[in-house]
C-alpha cells in the first residue's frame, strides 16, 4: 500500500513542484492524467504571513480534483514556517511539503531551500513545529548535499525522520551542481537501504516512462517524482498507467484547455498569453516545425491569435526524430529560475 501520512495514494507517480509550472491549471491536468500527488510550487512563508495577495494566489486549488492537496512552503525559521503552514491549512492544505532543495541564491541566502542541508537540526525543527501546529503530514524535499565534499543526505534524512517527516523526496544532485550534470540515482538507493520502512521519493533525470520505471526498479524507492519529463507532456502519467500517448487532436484540445485555465488563473489576457509561452514551447518540443511555431507564438499578444496558432500547429503536428533534448533542458532550467 502506498501511503504518505494518513493518505493512501493510487500509484507511485508524483508531479514535481516546479516554480512557474506547478500552478493550479497544470496540477489539475496532471491529476487528470493519473498523477498521484501534485505539490504546489514553492510558496514563501513570509508572503503567507503577510497575506500577500500575489502569494495567496498560489494557494488556489481544485478541491474536487486535488486530493490530497500538498502545499510546498519555504523559509528558514521554525516559528514563522509553522505560522505560515497554519495559514496554508486554513486555505485547504492537507499536506505540507518543506522545500530544502532549492539551490537559487535568493532562497538560500535567507537560510531556506538547500541552505537547510547545512543545518540538519534546524531542518528537523521545521518539521516538528509545522506538524505540532497543523497536525498535517509533513514531507520534505532535499538534495544529496551542499557540494561534493558535503553529501550529508543520510544525516539530514535521519534528523528529519526522527522529527516526524512523513515522506522524503531526494533530488540526487548537490546544491553546487544546480541542474547540471547527471543525477546520481545510487544516492536514492542508498537512502532507501538505510531507511527501508520510510517512504522515499526519487527525483532527477526522469524524462520518459521508461526512466520512471527504471528508477523504481533499480533504486527501490517507493515513489518517483517527475519534473522535466512532464513539461509539455502530462500524458507521461497516463502512459505510466498503461494508457496511450496523445493523438495530435488530443494534444491540441488539451493545450487549448490549459490556455483557457491559465488565463482564468492569471486574470489578465496579455500577462497570461506571455507567461503561457513557455508551456507552448514545451508542448511543441519534439514535434516537426516546433522552432517555427515557438518563434511565431513568441510574437503574439492576444488570446485569439494564440488559439489560432495552436490549432494550425497541433492538429497535424507529428514527431520530429531529429529534435534534440538539450533545447528542452535549457527551457527547464529557465522555468526553475
Amino acid at each position: 500500500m502506498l501511503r504518505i501520512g494518513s493518505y493512501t495514494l493510487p500509484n507511485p507517480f508524483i508531479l514535481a513542484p516546479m516554480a512557474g509550472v506547478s500552478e493550479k491549471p497544470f496540477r489539475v491536468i496532471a491529476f487528470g492524467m493519473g498523477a498521484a500527488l501534485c505539490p504546489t510550487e514553492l510558496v514563501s512563508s513570509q508572503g503567507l504571513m503577510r497575506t500577500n495577495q500575489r502569494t495567496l494566489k498560489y494557494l488556489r486549488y481544485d478541491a474536487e480534483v486535488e486530493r490530497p492537496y500538498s502545499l510546498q512552503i519555504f523559509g528558514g525559521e521554525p516559528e514563522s514556517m509553522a505560522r505560515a503552514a497554519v495559514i496554508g491549512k486554513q486555505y485547504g492544505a492537507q499536506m505540507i511539503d518543506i522545500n530544502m532543495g532549492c539551490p537559487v541564491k535568493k532562497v538560500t541566502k535567507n537560510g531556506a531551500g538547500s541552505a537547510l542541508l547545512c543545518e540538519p537540526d534546524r531542518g528537523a525543527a521545521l518539521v516538528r513545529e509545522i506538524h505540532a501546529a497543523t497536525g498535517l503530514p509533513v514531507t520534505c524535499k532535499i538534495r544529496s548535499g551542499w557540494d561534493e565534499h558535503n553529501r550529508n543526505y543520510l544525516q539530514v534524512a535521519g534528523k528529519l525522520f526522527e522529527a516526524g517527516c512523513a515522506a522524503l523526496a531526494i533530488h540526487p544532485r548537490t546544491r553546487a551542481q544546480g541542474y547540471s550534470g547527471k543525477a546520481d540515482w545510487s544516492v536514492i538507493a542508498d537512502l532507501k537501504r538505510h531507511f527501508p520502512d520510510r517512504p522515499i521519493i526519487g527525483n532527477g533525470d526522469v524524462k520518459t516512462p521508461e526512466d520512471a520505471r527504471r528508477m523504481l526498479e533499480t533504486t527501490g524507492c517507493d515513489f518517483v517524482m517527475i519534473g522535466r519529463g512532464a513539461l509539455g507532456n502530462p500524458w507521461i502519467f497516463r502512459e505510466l498507467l498503461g494508457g496511450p500517448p496523445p493523438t495530435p487532436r488530443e494534444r491540441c484540445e488539451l493545450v487549448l484547455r490549459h490556455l483557457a485555465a491559465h488565463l482564468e488563473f492569471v486574470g489578465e489576457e496579455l500577462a497570461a498569453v506571455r507567461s503561457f509561452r513557455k508551456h507552448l514551447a514545451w508542448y511543441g518540443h519534439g514535434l516537426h516545425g516546433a522552432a517555427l511555431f515557438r518563434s511565431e507564438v513568441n510574437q503574439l499578444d492576444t488570446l485569439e491569435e494564440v488559439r489560432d496558432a495552436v490549432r494550425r500547429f497541433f492538429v497535424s503536428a507529428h514527431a520530429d526524430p531529429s529534435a534534440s533534448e538539450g533545447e528542452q533542458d535549457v527551457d527547464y532550467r529557465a522555468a526553475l529560475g
Side-chain angles (χ1 to χ4, degrees), residues 284-297:
H285 179 75
L287 299 178
H288 185 72
L292 226 73
F293 170 70
R294 186 171 59 251
S295 176
E296 177 189 0
V297 295

Side-chain angles (χ1 to χ4, degrees), residues 117-318:
L117 300 174
C118 302
E119 298 184 63
D121 288 330
R122 188 155 58 90
L126 295 180
V127 174
R128 280 193 298 270
E129 292 284 338
I130 290 172
H131 182 65
T134 65
L136 299 177
V138 179
T139 61
C140 301
K141 187 168 190 284
I142 67 171
R143 284 179 170 249
S144 53
W146 182 257
D147 56 31
E148 195 56 36
H149 305 292
N150 297 279
R151 300 206 317 163
N152 61 339
Y153 58 92
L154 291 178
Q155 179 197 11
V156 172
K159 296 279 188 180
L160 297 178
F161 283 133
E162 285 174 15
C165 178
L168 185 64
I170 181 157
H171 181 118
R173 287 181 172 91
T174 65
R175 184 267 175 185
Q177 282 181 282
Y179 300 100
S180 64
K182 187 176 181 182
D184 182 1
W185 287 8
S186 70
V187 166
I188 304 171
D190 190 38
L191 193 61
K192 188 60 188 177
R193 276 195 302 272
H194 279 81
F195 301 97
D197 300 324
R198 306 287 190 162
I200 301 297
I201 305 167
N203 174 232
D205 290 353
V206 178
K207 302 176 186 177
T208 66
E210 291 71 29
D211 291 336
R213 296 187 187 101
R214 186 164 53 87
M215 179 178 279
L216 284 173
E217 292 167 4
T218 61
T219 71
C221 63
D222 303 279
F223 300 90
V224 172
M225 181 172 277
I226 303 171
R228 78 182 73 190
L231 294 177
N233 185 28
W235 297 274
I236 190 171
F237 296 104
R238 187 175 75 180
E239 291 183 54
L240 280 164
L241 300 177
T247 64
R249 181 164 294 280
E250 186 179 18
R251 191 187 301 271
C252 180
E253 289 172 354
L254 185 134
V255 173
L256 291 173
R257 190 166 82 244
H258 189 180
L259 174 61
H262 186 73
L263 173 62
E264 183 181 355
F265 179 79
V266 173
E268 196 274 312
E269 181 173 334
L270 181 59
V273 165
R274 289 181 173 175
S275 59
F276 197 69
R277 288 171 179 170
K278 60 181 180 285
H279 287 287
L280 291 172
W282 291 322
Y283 279 121
H285 179 75
L287 299 178
H288 185 72
L292 226 73
F293 170 70
R294 186 171 59 251
S295 176
E296 177 189 0
V297 295
N298 281 346
Q299 308 302 316
L300 304 180
D301 287 328
T302 73
L303 189 64
E304 210 44 57
E305 288 174 324
V306 174
R307 283 175 176 153
D308 288 343
V310 165
R311 292 188 186 102
R312 285 195 306 273
F313 177 68
F314 285 105
V315 164
S316 59
H318 58 274

Side-chain angles (χ1 to χ4, degrees), residues 14-187:
I14 296 173
L15 177 69
M18 295 178 281
V21 176
S22 301
E23 300 166 327
K24 174 187 169 184
F26 192 66
R27 295 196 311 267
V28 168
I29 289 171
F31 265 115
M33 291 293 169
L37 185 67
C38 301
T40 69
E41 61 182 292
L42 73 174
V43 175
S44 164
S45 59
Q46 293 298 319
L48 283 178
M49 288 195 302
R50 292 193 298 267
T51 60
N52 180 292
Q53 289 305 305
R54 182 178 176 185
T55 302
L56 292 177
K57 180 181 76 171
Y58 297 121
L59 300 189
R60 285 184 282 172
Y61 75 108
D62 187 324
E64 295 298 315
V65 175
E66 299 189 64
R67 292 193 242 174
Y69 168 43
S70 174
L71 170 65
Q72 186 184 81
I73 59 176
F74 74 94
E77 206 281 314
E79 184 179 343
S80 62
M81 282 282 279
R83 285 161 55 198
V86 168
I87 294 169
K89 182 180 180 180
Q90 291 169 350
Y91 277 83
Q94 298 165 307
M95 192 180 290
I96 301 295
D97 185 54
I98 305 173
N99 184 307
M100 298 187 185
C102 181
V104 177
K105 189 174 181 180
K106 66 181 180 182
V107 172
T108 60
K109 72 178 182 181
N110 295 314
S114 55
L116 289 162
L117 300 174
C118 302
E119 298 184 63
D121 288 330
R122 188 155 58 90
L126 295 180
V127 174
R128 280 193 298 270
E129 292 284 338
I130 290 172
H131 182 65
T134 65
L136 299 177
V138 179
T139 61
C140 301
K141 187 168 190 284
I142 67 171
R143 284 179 170 249
S144 53
W146 182 257
D147 56 31
E148 195 56 36
H149 305 292
N150 297 279
R151 300 206 317 163
N152 61 339
Y153 58 92
L154 291 178
Q155 179 197 11
V156 172
K159 296 279 188 180
L160 297 178
F161 283 133
E162 285 174 15
C165 178
L168 185 64
I170 181 157
H171 181 118
R173 287 181 172 91
T174 65
R175 184 267 175 185
Q177 282 181 282
Y179 300 100
S180 64
K182 187 176 181 182
D184 182 1
W185 287 8
S186 70
V187 166

